[in-house]
């Protein structure tokens, strides 16, 4: 018997969000619209330069779990924080949001890496530029993976960024093995094109081994090093289920001989932070509850549209009510 409908494993990162203009990005040497990893000193410099900081527990998979909790699913998160102020804040906020934070914060005497944080600068056009200091989350390893958690998941959701560290890769694969041994389904988000570039061989293998893979157009093209049409043809032959988002266009979902194309209604974002994370939440809600492919895709689009309508990477509206209004659930 499963304990959790969805378990996620990924980097536990506190999002620190601030508004700025393009001139500030240029002045600080920040590349617009992407996620960059930074070292501790650079992270402290950017943190000190932020005005009116908003602090929110983040990390891609954790944001997705928050969306699933909003929808009423039972969830747990496998991650690593330190027992400092940000780490305690993170663990408490995840629990308050209904997600079991299964690993207690690491004692202050064990190592010197602080809780991870991402400095997110939001420009007036809604684009977010993320500067992430991985800190202690980069030390996540197989010893942090409880088989009682991963092995009791109906669906496991994995974060591609974990492959940036050997221990994270080992944790990722231990969780996937435990989940599938327990009869669950495991899948991955490709995370970003640069992550795909770094781990192409591993990700191509995973596409063949896992039950579902979520990526956007650029990530799929990077994975197969070809145009989208050819990339999706290869992915459909390899994967149990392929999900591809094309910003402002549509979502393509393929499972065996079954295919669904879901149109996207383009809206001007207030803050694009979390669009992909909440698309994953909507899709996974449909996937976990047995919805048809097109309905799961539409759920992802509704969830993404909600989160980009306000600041922050987690939903503020009642997502079940939005799904009902859209005719996606009874």
């Amino acid at each position: 018997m499963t304990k959790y409908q969805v378990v996620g494993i990924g980097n536990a990162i506190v999002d620190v969000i601030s508004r700025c203009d393009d001139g500030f990005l240029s002045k600080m040497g920040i590349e617009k619209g992407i996620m960059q990893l930074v070292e501790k000193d650079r992270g402290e410099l950017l943190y000190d330069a932020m005005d009116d900081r908003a602090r929110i527990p983040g990390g891609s998979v954790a944001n997705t779990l928050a969306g699933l909790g909003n929808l009423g699913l039972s969830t747990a998160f496998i991650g690593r924080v330190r027992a400092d102020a940000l780490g305690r804040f993170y663990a408490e906020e995840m629990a308050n949001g209904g997600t079991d934070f299964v690993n207690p914060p690491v004692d202050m005497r064990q190592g010197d890496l602080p809780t991870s944080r991402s400095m997110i600068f939001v420009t007036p056009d809604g684009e977010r530029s993320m500067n992430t200091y991985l800190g202690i989350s980069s030390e996540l390893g197989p010893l942090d993976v409880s088989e009682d958690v991963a092995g009791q998941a109906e669906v496991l959701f994995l974060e591609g960024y974990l492959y940036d560290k050997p221990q994270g890769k080992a944790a990722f694969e231990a969780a996937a093995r435990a989940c599938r041994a327990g009869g669950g389904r495991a899948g991955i988000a490709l995370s970003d094109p640069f992550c795909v570039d770094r781990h192409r061989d591993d990700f191509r293998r995973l596409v063949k081994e896992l039950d579902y893979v979520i990526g956007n157009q650029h990530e799929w093209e990077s994975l197969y090093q070809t145009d989208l049409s050819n990339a999706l043809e290869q992915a459909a032959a390899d994967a149990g289920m392929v999900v591809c988002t094309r910003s402002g266009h549509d979502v393509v979902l393929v499972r065996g001989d079954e295919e669904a194309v879901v149109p996207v209604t383009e809206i001007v974002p207030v803050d694009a932070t979390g669009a992909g994370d909440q698309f994953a939440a909507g899709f996974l809600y449909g996937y976990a509850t047995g919805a048809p492919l097109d309905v799961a895709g539409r759920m992802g689009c509704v969830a993404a549209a909600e989160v980009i309508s306000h600041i922050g990477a987690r939903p503020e509206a009642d997502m079940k009510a939005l799904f009902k209004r859209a005719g996606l659930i009874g």
Side-chain angles (χ1 to χ4, degrees):
M1 183 177 178
T2 57
K3 182 177 181 181
Y4 300 106
Q5 288 166 289
V6 181
V7 170
I9 175 170
N11 288 307
I13 300 171
V14 178
D15 286 341
V16 187
I17 303 172
S18 177
R19 290 186 175 276
C20 73
D21 56 24
D22 288 343
F24 177 87
L25 297 182
S26 297
K27 176 183 175 183
M28 301 302 294
I30 298 169
E31 189 169 351
K32 184 175 179 177
I34 68 166
M35 194 285 289
Q36 293 178 299
L37 296 177
V38 299
E39 297 301 323
K40 186 176 179 181
D41 289 348
R42 171 74 170 165
E44 290 176 349
L45 172 70
L46 294 177
Y47 185 86
D48 289 342
M50 302 181 91
D51 290 329
D52 298 322
R53 295 183 292 251
R55 191 177 61 168
I56 304 169
S60 180
V61 166
N63 290 336
T64 296
L65 291 174
L68 290 166
N70 178 289
L71 286 160
L73 297 194
S74 57
T75 58
F77 180 61
I78 299 169
R80 189 173 176 88
V81 298
R82 193 176 179 192
D84 52 18
L86 282 180
R88 289 191 295 271
F89 163 80
Y90 192 98
E92 290 168 3
E93 287 297 303
M94 289 294 290
N96 290 341
T99 293
D100 286 354
F101 190 79
V102 296
N103 298 325
V106 176
D107 190 282
M108 299 287 282
R109 293 167 294 182
Q110 299 176 30
D112 59 356
L113 291 177
T115 295
S116 309
R117 71 286 312 268
S118 181
M119 283 62 68
I120 302 173
F121 297 92
V122 183
T123 43
D125 58 3
E127 278 286 353
R128 81 279 189 272
S129 306
M130 304 171 68
N131 301 265
T132 303
Y133 168 60
L134 287 178
I136 199 170
S137 70
S138 64
E139 294 190 333
L140 183 74
L143 294 179
D144 296 304
V145 177
S146 166
E147 289 196 10
D148 288 340
V149 176
Q152 296 189 67
E154 292 180 21
V155 176
L156 181 71
F157 186 43
L158 305 153
E159 180 176 306
Y161 287 129
L162 285 181
Y163 264 68
D164 282 329
K165 294 283 186 176
Q167 288 191 122
K169 176 179 176 179
F172 177 116
E173 298 189 345
R177 284 194 301 270
C179 172
R180 301 192 81 188
R185 296 168 289 171
I188 184 176
L190 294 176
S191 294
D192 74 28
F194 303 105
C195 186
V196 174
D197 287 342
R198 293 192 294 271
H199 308 293
R200 183 173 291 109
D201 290 343
D202 279 325
F203 283 179
R204 282 195 181 180
R205 173 178 55 82
L206 285 168
V207 167
K208 296 178 180 180
E209 294 177 356
L210 297 177
D211 298 289
Y212 65 92
V213 182
I214 302 172
N216 63 31
Q217 174 177 352
H218 305 299
E219 290 156 4
W220 284 113
E221 289 176 339
S222 174
L223 184 64
Y224 289 100
Q225 297 178 288
T226 186
D227 63 84
L228 183 63
S229 177
N230 284 319
L232 291 184
E233 184 177 345
Q234 292 182 59
D238 288 345
M241 181 187 293
V242 172
V243 182
C244 175
T245 60
R246 297 199 305 155
S247 180
H249 291 85
D250 54 32
V251 178
V252 179
L253 305 97
V254 183
R255 179 171 53 197
D257 294 331
E258 186 182 3
E259 179 176 328
V261 179
V262 178
V264 172
T265 301
E266 192 167 6
I267 63 174
V268 178
V270 174
D271 173 14
T273 308
D277 303 340
Q278 294 313 316
F279 171 85
F283 162 75
L284 287 173
Y285 178 83
Y287 183 63
T289 57
L293 276 189
D294 64 320
V295 173
R298 289 172 61 199
M299 287 174 168
C301 293
V302 170
E306 189 282 336
V307 81
I308 67 174
S309 69
H310 57 76
I311 292 288
R314 299 186 173 196
E316 294 182 350
D318 180 336
M319 292 308 305
K320 270 197 171 179
L322 293 183
F323 284 0
K324 287 180 181 178
R325 193 177 307 158
L328 300 176
I329 57 176

